[in-house]
């Protein structure tokens, strides 16, 4: 039974159960159960797992170093879903403590699979919305990267901040207006359209 086939009360219970399992796994240095949740076929189980890791990180400061170590190790997994979920968990942490997870995004931008790279884009959106200063400073360094996909991902990632605070990202977008790659320019037009909307 998938996560959203459960009743609201059962979903709340399932979320609590996942969080307790992950907390205990961290306490016991056992990565296997974390990997199981991070690799689950149900995207909502994976979401419950990365939200739980984010909450655990801020609720128990004694586990912060271990959480970061586990996320870095999980980025080496051959399973793209595990890498994707690790990046999403880092995004939850980066909403308040971006510098601790910055390297995860440096690596995630270059993941060979599109799903972890999409997790980077989504994380930049949510982090940039609430913690813009370090996130946008980090994103800026990739605006002229030689890889067009990196430029496109960064352009797409900063979109959400621009919806509320266009002045924060319009100077960055201006740097891409003469990009020679159609895919980057098309993303730029999309982002400007979202801001204007």
């Amino acid at each position: 039974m998938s996560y959203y086939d459960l009743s609201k009360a059962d979903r709340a219970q399932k979320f609590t159960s996942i969080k307790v399992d992950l907390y205990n796994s961290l306490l016991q240095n056992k990565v296997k159960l974390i990997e199981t949740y991070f690799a689950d076929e149900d995207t909502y189980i994976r979401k419950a797992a990365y939200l739980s890791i984010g909450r655990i990180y801020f609720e128990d400061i004694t586990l912060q170093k271990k959480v970061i170590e586990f996320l870095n190790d999980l980025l080496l997994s051959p399973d793209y879903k595990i890498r994707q979920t690790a990046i999403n968990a880092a995004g939850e942490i980066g909403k308040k403590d971006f510098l601790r997870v910055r390297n995860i995004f440096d690596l995630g931008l270059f993941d060979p699979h599109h799903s972890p790279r999409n997790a980077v884009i989504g994380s930049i959106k949510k982090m940039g919305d609430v913690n813009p200063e370090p996130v946008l400073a980090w994103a800026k360094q990739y605006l002229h990267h030689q890889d067009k996909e990196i430029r496109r991902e960064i352009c797409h990632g900063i979109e959400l901040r621009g919806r509320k605070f266009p002045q924060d990202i319009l100077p960055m977008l201006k740097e891409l207006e003469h990009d020679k790659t159609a895919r980057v320019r098309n993303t730029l037009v999309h982002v400007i359209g979202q801001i204007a909307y």
Side-chain angles (χ1 to χ4, degrees):
M1 180 177 286
S2 70
Y3 190 77
Y4 269 93
D5 288 336
L6 300 171
S7 68
K8 186 174 181 180
D10 287 342
R11 286 197 307 269
Q13 180 56 45
K14 180 72 170 173
F15 185 92
T16 300
S17 172
I18 290 169
K19 186 178 174 191
V20 168
D21 285 348
L22 294 174
Y23 183 76
N24 289 331
S25 294
L26 288 163
L27 285 176
Q28 298 165 16
N29 277 323
K30 294 184 178 175
V31 73
K32 192 66 186 158
L33 188 56
I34 296 173
E35 288 177 328
T36 300
Y37 281 126
F38 276 32
D40 199 283
E41 288 300 318
D42 187 337
T43 187
Y44 296 106
I45 296 292
R46 296 196 309 274
K47 182 175 182 178
Y50 76 68
L51 289 173
S52 293
I53 290 292
R55 290 180 186 179
I56 290 166
Y57 178 87
F58 290 109
E59 289 170 3
D60 188 340
I61 59 170
T62 66
L63 288 176
Q64 288 184 346
K65 184 177 180 208
K66 194 176 289 189
V67 167
I68 299 299
E69 289 170 356
F70 270 56
L71 293 179
N72 277 299
D73 289 346
L74 292 169
L75 278 184
L76 304 175
S77 171
D79 186 335
Y80 75 86
K81 289 189 297 301
I82 291 176
R83 298 192 310 272
Q84 174 192 39
T85 310
I87 291 166
N88 279 320
E92 292 301 307
I93 294 166
K95 288 178 181 179
K96 296 179 184 172
D97 197 1
F98 178 73
L99 296 181
R100 290 292 301 276
V101 293
R102 175 185 174 143
N103 70 303
I104 291 171
F105 295 100
D106 287 325
L107 295 171
L109 268 176
F110 299 93
D111 196 280
H113 195 279
H114 66 88
S115 291
R117 292 194 311 270
N118 285 341
V120 171
I121 293 169
S123 292
I124 294 170
K125 287 183 178 187
K126 65 186 174 187
M127 293 184 303
D129 190 39
V130 296
N131 189 14
E133 192 172 314
V135 176
L136 294 179
W138 171 83
K140 189 172 176 60
Q141 71 178 326
Y142 288 106
L143 280 177
H144 299 287
H145 194 276
Q146 62 192 19
D147 186 333
K148 64 183 182 292
E149 277 304 299
I150 300 300
R151 298 192 308 272
R152 185 194 69 77
E153 289 165 14
I154 292 298
C155 180
H156 198 184
I158 62 177
E159 170 192 319
L160 190 59
R161 181 69 184 173
R163 292 185 193 181
K164 295 179 190 169
F165 302 96
Q167 68 275 13
D168 289 355
I169 70 158
L170 286 173
M172 295 173 71
L173 296 178
K174 187 166 180 51
E175 293 186 39
L176 295 173
E177 73 177 318
H178 299 295
D179 197 291
K180 292 181 170 35
T181 305
R183 192 158 155 77
V184 176
R185 288 193 314 271
N186 291 340
T187 301
L188 176 62
V189 169
H190 164 79
V191 169
I192 291 171
Q194 290 298 311
I195 293 169
Y197 180 74

